[in-house]
Amino acid sequence: MNGSQKLLIIFPTYNERENIEKIVHAVLPMDPRVNVLIVDDNSPDGTGEIADKLVNMDARVSVLHRAKKEGLGQAYIAGFRWAIERKFDFIMEMDADFSHGPEYIKDFLSEIKEYDLVIGSRYIKGVNVINWPMSRLLLSYSANMYSRLITGLPLRDATGGFKCFRRQVLEAINLDNVHSTGYAFQIEISMRAWKKGFSINEIPITFVDRMAGQSKMSKRIVREAIWMVWWLRLKSIFGLLD
């Protein structure tokens, strides 16, 4: 990544007023090439209004207001389209609640020089998750084993949402055909990139559960992930992942 290239970090938000200002102020000093896009799904707690204030404070911050909550996947797709239109060289997914540490941004910027997609993995060197109950940890670890077994996707952490793409990866994927709305979105977008032959690398991170706000995990999200991996496998078998 040279001095003229730009990175956009996308923060999808819904009720993140306790975190959004802090995380933006934490990531911007990491590198002068870092820009931020907040994609807010009309948060009733006022996250969108805080985002507007941040835009007025720093030219590297932008906000995309969406009319309603439509899930993580659709928020990211809206952010991807925004980034592609503005020709950002690299586009990063990142949670706004500090579960993804800003200190890892430099590692992503280093690795993206050699790969098309870089993923922060909780499960490369053992299990690197802090403050999760055992039930949540077992669910996550099992989901990753399950997705790898069914789809063949060679990732230790396919459900992780700390990622950096080259713009060309997202341009090559037909975003209209990405159907997942919850955390299955992470499996689907990586699967589509892998099937198109893009190079992927995982780097170790430590995931720290949120200290403020509420988790968006639900039974519906889990159910979607269970059937989505089979849908992806069938699509892959028939060469229909574009």
Side-chain angles (χ1 to χ4, degrees):
M1 185 172 177
N2 61 47
S4 65
Q5 293 176 309
K6 295 189 298 179
L7 168 72
L8 181 70
I9 300 176
I10 301 174
F11 290 113
T13 58
Y14 186 77
N15 289 348
E16 293 287 357
R17 66 171 295 120
E18 297 174 89
N19 296 307
I20 190 60
E21 186 170 3
K22 295 175 185 176
I23 192 67
V24 169
H25 288 321
V27 302
L28 288 178
M30 290 295 161
D31 193 283
R33 297 164 294 183
V34 169
N35 292 261
V36 166
L37 174 65
I38 302 163
V39 182
D40 186 65
D41 279 2
N42 198 21
S43 298
D45 73 343
T47 301
E49 287 81 357
I50 296 173
D52 287 333
K53 292 179 182 177
L54 293 171
V55 170
N56 293 329
M57 292 170 58
D58 197 307
R60 290 191 289 160
V61 181
S62 300
V63 62
L64 181 59
H65 294 284
R66 289 168 21 99
K68 60 182 179 179
K69 185 180 181 183
E70 294 180 312
L72 182 75
Q74 291 305 308
Y76 269 128
I77 287 173
F80 292 163
R81 294 188 191 282
W82 192 95
I84 290 169
E85 288 174 1
R86 289 158 181 80
K87 302 297 183 182
F88 279 92
D89 301 285
F90 306 102
I91 298 126
M92 179 175 284
E93 297 182 17
M94 190 171 179
D95 289 351
D97 59 10
F98 283 93
S99 56
H100 298 151
E103 68 274 14
Y104 292 110
I105 291 173
K106 64 182 185 300
D107 298 325
F108 280 95
L109 292 179
S110 176
E111 290 296 309
I112 201 65
K113 296 175 184 177
E114 305 295 333
Y115 296 92
D116 299 312
L117 168 57
V118 179
I119 300 173
S121 175
R122 298 162 288 186
Y123 305 123
I124 288 181
K125 297 180 178 179
V127 177
N128 292 293
V129 177
I130 296 175
N131 292 337
W132 264 5
M134 184 58 68
S135 59
R136 178 79 183 271
L137 182 58
L138 289 173
L139 175 64
S140 173
Y141 193 80
S142 299
N144 277 287
M145 292 180 63
Y146 174 75
S147 66
R148 190 164 64 246
L149 176 65
I150 303 304
T151 65
L153 183 62
L155 297 177
R156 299 298 297 259
D157 195 354
T159 62
F162 201 4
K163 297 179 175 178
C164 186
F165 302 84
R166 289 181 177 270
R167 185 183 71 244
Q168 292 82 356
V169 176
L170 297 175
E171 288 175 329
I173 294 172
N174 187 341
L175 297 175
D176 290 334
N177 288 343
V178 177
H179 298 288
S180 307
T181 58
Y183 289 98
F185 168 80
Q186 304 298 355
I187 304 171
E188 181 174 357
I189 203 75
S190 294
M191 182 80 172
R192 290 179 180 275
W194 176 56
K195 283 297 180 178
K196 286 188 173 292
F198 289 107
S199 59
I200 303 176
N201 189 41
E202 290 183 277
I203 60 174
I205 64 164
T206 297
F207 181 96
V208 181
D209 196 22
R210 64 168 58 237
M211 299 300 292
Q214 293 184 340
S215 171
K216 311 304 189 295
M217 179 61 73
S218 68
K219 291 181 179 179
R220 183 189 63 79
I221 288 172
V222 173
R223 288 195 298 268
E224 180 193 42
I226 290 172
W227 70 259
M228 180 58 70
V229 294
W230 286 100
W231 183 87
L232 289 170
R233 178 174 179 174
L234 290 173
K235 286 281 189 178
S236 177
I237 289 172
F238 292 104
L240 298 176
L241 280 180
D242 58 0

